[in-house]
Amino acid sequence: MGDFMLKNKRKIIITITSAIILVVLLISGILVYKKNEEQNLSIEALSKYGSRGSEVTQIQTKLKRWGYYKGNIDGIYGTQTLNAVKYFQRKNGLTVDGIAGPATLKAMGIMTSSSSSSSSSSSSSYNSNLNLLSRLIYGEARGESYTGQVAVGAVVMNRVKSSSFPNSISGVIYQSGAFDAVKDGQINLNPNSTAKKAAQDALNGWDPSYGAIYYFNPATATNKWIWSRPMTVTIGKHRFCK
């Protein structure tokens, strides 16, 4: 009788142990599967050669508007889109890999689906715009008066509002050939506190340029067309015009 009970206890222990091992294996499998799924999702979130969808359409639309892309807006990340993204990256100091990753999308003013729905993304977007506009002002006008720096920021904001220009701050700033600071790399310098404050004032609506969408330095300008634009005001070395 004692041997029988002992055998039964051993069977029960073995059964329980097997069940525990099975549960552990199942949980491990679920965790591995979940991790793989998250990795796949994170890979799919990057638009690259062969990708299709609305994000690719946004990329093509913006790059075509800015003069980087000449192909059809079809939502297919083909060779032309790949080359256009590389061109954009090369011109704007980004890693030239042809992949529209977070940094490239941010420079284009495209928010990913994971961040666009949260309230924190609004704050992040504002801070991103403030930083980018500060860098543009610092690169273009750090030798100008404070009012002159705000006016340069106001030109960017006026372009965003105009149907003739991209409808985002990053789009305006990174539009091909729009600003010397982007072409010569000064956009990548760290702005000082004055440039940051000037950017904030421009974002908040102060416009010392009186609605200007262009500005130039009369002492160095060689483009005859820019001289034909109606002047709004001259501040320091910059003439502002519409």
Side-chain angles (χ1 to χ4, degrees), residues 6 15 128 130 132:
L6 185 60
T15 301
S128 176
L130 178 62
L132 182 56

Side-chain angles (χ1 to χ4, degrees), residues 170-202:
S170 60
V172 166
I173 289 175
Y174 285 117
Q175 187 173 23
S176 183
F179 295 99
D180 289 338
V182 174
K183 288 191 289 184
D184 62 21
Q186 292 192 65
I187 188 73
N188 298 313
L189 297 175
N190 290 323
N192 59 19
S193 59
T194 302
K196 290 177 181 177
K197 190 172 184 301
Q200 195 164 35
D201 278 337

Side-chain angles (χ1 to χ4, degrees), residues 31-239:
L31 291 174
V32 170
Y33 175 78
K34 186 176 180 182
K35 184 177 180 181
N36 288 339
E37 283 295 296
E38 288 173 351
Q39 288 176 340
N40 289 336
L41 284 171
S42 110
I43 291 170
E44 288 170 4
L46 300 177
S47 288
K48 55 188 176 181
Y49 185 81
S51 298
R52 294 169 179 256
S54 60
E55 187 172 271
V56 179
T57 301
Q58 288 184 69
I59 292 167
Q60 291 174 332
T61 301
K62 285 177 177 286
L63 293 182
K64 189 161 189 172
R65 187 190 302 154
W66 302 336
Y68 293 96
Y69 177 64
K70 306 297 182 186
N72 296 323
I73 298 174
D74 54 12
I76 301 171
Y77 207 117
T79 302
Q80 283 185 296
T81 305
L82 175 71
N83 291 334
V85 170
K86 285 183 176 180
Y87 182 23
F88 176 82
Q89 291 171 329
R90 188 164 51 252
K91 284 287 187 180
N92 297 297
L94 300 163
T95 301
V96 183
D97 55 10
I99 298 172
T104 299
L105 292 176
K106 181 180 177 182
M108 292 180 185
I110 298 174
M111 299 297 292
T112 60
S113 58
S114 62
S115 61
S116 60
S117 60
S118 66
S119 60
S120 62
S121 73
S122 297
S123 174
S124 175
S125 178
Y126 177 84
N127 289 334
S128 176
N129 284 331
L130 178 62
N131 180 57
L132 182 56
L133 190 58
S134 300
R135 288 194 280 119
L136 186 279
I137 291 171
Y138 187 73
E140 288 278 316
R142 60 182 177 274
E144 296 296 308
S145 66
Y146 182 73
T147 302
Q149 292 185 45
V150 177
V152 166
V155 167
V156 174
M157 302 307 297
N158 291 336
R159 288 189 180 188
V160 173
K161 297 172 189 174
S162 171
S163 60
S164 301
F165 295 90
N167 60 359
S168 68
I169 290 173
S170 60
V172 166
I173 289 175
Y174 285 117
Q175 187 173 23
S176 183
F179 295 99
D180 289 338
V182 174
K183 288 191 289 184
D184 62 21
Q186 292 192 65
I187 188 73
N188 298 313
L189 297 175
N190 290 323
N192 59 19
S193 59
T194 302
K196 290 177 181 177
K197 190 172 184 301
Q200 195 164 35
D201 278 337
L203 282 168
N204 289 340
W206 183 21
D207 184 7
S209 78
Y210 297 98
I213 52 176
Y214 302 102
Y215 64 89
F216 65 100
N217 185 339
T220 58
T222 56
N223 187 322
K224 292 182 179 179
W225 174 84
I226 195 67
W227 285 91
S228 68
R229 307 304 301 177
M231 186 184 77
T232 59
V233 67
T234 296
I235 305 174
K237 295 179 180 179
H238 287 146
R239 178 178 293 185

